[in-house]
Amino acid sequence: MRKRPLLTIAVANFHTWLQSSRVLSMLGCMVFYCLMQAVVDHSNYALEGEKTLLFNVPELLFLKLYSSFFTMGSLLFLVMVSEIPLRYAFQNFMLVRTSRIKWTLAQVLHSAAAVCFAMGILCLCFSLFATFYASPTSGFSENALVELGIVTEDYTIIPLYIRRLGSPVLACLIAMLPMFFFWFSMLLLILFLGLWNKPLLGPVLFGGLLLFSSTFMVEALPSWIPYPTDFSSLKAIVSDYEGHEWSRLTAVLVGYGIFDGIMILLMCIRSRSMDTSCFSITS
C-alpha cells in the first residue's frame, strides 16, 4: 500500500466491482448481444449461395467499433458502472492510509480499467462468434471488388479513407479511440457527481442522453448545438466531414483529452473537502 497506493486501490476497486451481481449480469448480456450481432451480420453480409460472409473478422469487428457497438453497447456499459464510485467500507480505510488526491486518481485508474475491460469483452466475444462465418481472406475485401468493377465506390460499406489504411486491424484500433474516450468521459462525469454525493444523477443523465435520439426528434435541434452522441463513435464524428475525416477525428480526440483533464482536476479539488460518510456503509 505504501509503495504503490494508486495501483493497490485501483486493483481493489476493480476486483470488488467485478464481483458485483450487476456487472456479472451485464457481462452475460454483452455475450448474448455479441451473439445476436454475429447472427445479424450473417444475414446481412452473407454471399449469395455461400455460408461465409463477404468480410473477414477484423472487418466485421471494425463495422461494430465504427458505431461503438451502437447505443445498446453504451447502455450495457452504463449499467455496469452505475455504482461507481463504489460505496464499500474499505474505501474509508484507503482514504485514511493515503491522500485524497491519490485515492481520487486511483478511482480514475479504475475507471479506465473498467472501460478497457468492457471493450475487450465486446471485441473478444464478437470476434469469436464471427469466426464461424467470416471470410478467411485478409485485408479489405471491398478493395478487390472495386478494382474488378463488381461494385462502385458509392455502394461500399467500409469508407474509402479507412480502406486506404490497408489493414483492418489498424482500422479497428483507430475506431476504438472514440469509443474509449466517450465511455471514459462518461464514467469520469459519473464519478465526479458521485463525489458530490449524487451517485444516481450521472447514470440517469447519460441514460437519457443515449436514448434521446430514439425518443425525440433530434433533427429539430439547431445544427450548432453539439449533442453528446455526435462524439460517441468514429462514424458519428466524421459523418459530416467528408474529405476531412482525420483532422476532425484529431480535433475531437484533443477535445476529449482537455475535457478529461479538466474533470480529473476538478475531482482532485473536490476530494479535499468531500464528505466520506457515504463510504462507511458496507454494501
Side-chain angles (χ1 to χ4, degrees):
M1 182 76 175
R2 293 180 180 178
K3 293 182 179 180
R4 298 179 180 178
L6 287 179
L7 184 60
T8 302
I9 297 173
V11 170
N13 276 273
F14 184 80
H15 185 263
T16 304
W17 171 76
L18 198 57
Q19 296 180 15
S20 169
S21 58
R22 181 177 310 197
V23 174
L24 295 176
S25 299
M26 288 303 102
L27 287 177
C29 291
M30 283 185 171
V31 174
F32 182 73
Y33 177 65
C34 289
L35 174 60
M36 295 304 298
Q37 287 298 311
V39 172
V40 171
D41 282 354
H42 180 260
S43 62
N44 290 339
Y45 305 132
L47 297 174
E48 186 176 355
E50 300 287 343
K51 292 184 178 180
T52 57
L53 303 186
L54 170 64
F55 301 111
N56 53 47
V57 173
E59 287 179 298
L60 291 171
L61 179 59
F62 167 78
L63 290 174
K64 300 306 171 187
L65 293 170
Y66 190 47
S67 301
S68 294
F69 278 89
F70 308 105
T71 302
M72 182 58 69
S74 296
L75 287 173
L76 291 173
F77 177 71
L78 181 62
V79 176
M80 290 178 67
V81 299
S82 59
E83 295 178 324
I84 291 179
L86 302 178
R87 261 109 173 119
Y88 287 86
F90 71 81
Q91 299 280 23
N92 254 339
F93 170 77
M94 294 178 176
L95 283 166
V96 172
R97 296 293 300 272
T98 188
S99 68
R100 295 195 175 196
I101 292 181
K102 289 183 178 179
W103 178 86
T104 302
L105 294 177
Q107 304 302 315
V108 174
L109 183 59
H110 165 225
S111 300
V115 173
C116 293
F117 175 77
M119 289 180 60
I121 291 296
L122 285 172
C123 293
L124 177 61
C125 291
F126 177 79
S127 298
L128 289 175
F129 293 134
T131 302
F132 294 100
Y133 300 107
S135 169
T137 60
S138 60
F140 287 106
S141 306
E142 290 181 316
N143 285 342
L145 298 178
V146 172
E147 291 177 0
L148 294 174
I150 299 177
V151 297
T152 61
E153 196 63 50
D154 294 334
Y155 290 95
T156 57
I157 298 175
I158 299 179
L160 178 60
Y161 76 95
I162 291 295
R163 301 204 315 274
R164 284 174 176 169
L165 294 172
S167 171
V169 176
L170 178 59
C172 288
L173 294 176
I174 294 175
M176 285 181 181
L177 293 176
M179 182 176 177
F180 171 84
F181 279 106
F182 178 69
W183 284 9
F184 183 57
S185 301
M186 176 174 67
L187 192 46
L188 286 183
L189 186 54
I190 293 174
L191 179 60
F192 176 72
L193 293 173
L195 296 183
W196 284 91
N197 204 23
K198 304 292 183 182
L200 297 179
L201 181 58
V204 171
L205 175 64
F206 274 102
L209 289 174
L210 289 172
L211 293 174
F212 184 82
S213 58
S214 302
T215 309
F216 300 96
M217 295 296 294
V218 179
E219 292 80 2
L221 294 176
S223 59
W224 53 268
I225 297 180
Y227 191 72
T229 54
D230 293 340
F231 311 100
S232 62
S233 65
L234 178 58
K235 181 178 181 179
I237 290 173
V238 303
S239 61
D240 296 326
Y241 293 84
E242 185 176 356
H244 305 279
E245 292 89 355
W246 297 118
S247 59
R248 169 63 174 173
L249 177 61
T250 302
V252 171
L253 293 179
V254 171
Y256 268 128
I258 295 174
F259 175 81
D260 293 345
I262 293 175
M263 289 301 301
I264 294 173
L265 178 61
L266 292 176
M267 283 190 289
C268 290
I269 295 173
R270 168 59 185 167
S271 64
R272 294 186 175 185
S273 58
M274 71 177 183
D275 180 15
T276 61
S277 60
C278 59
F279 297 118
S280 62
I281 302 175
T282 303
S283 300

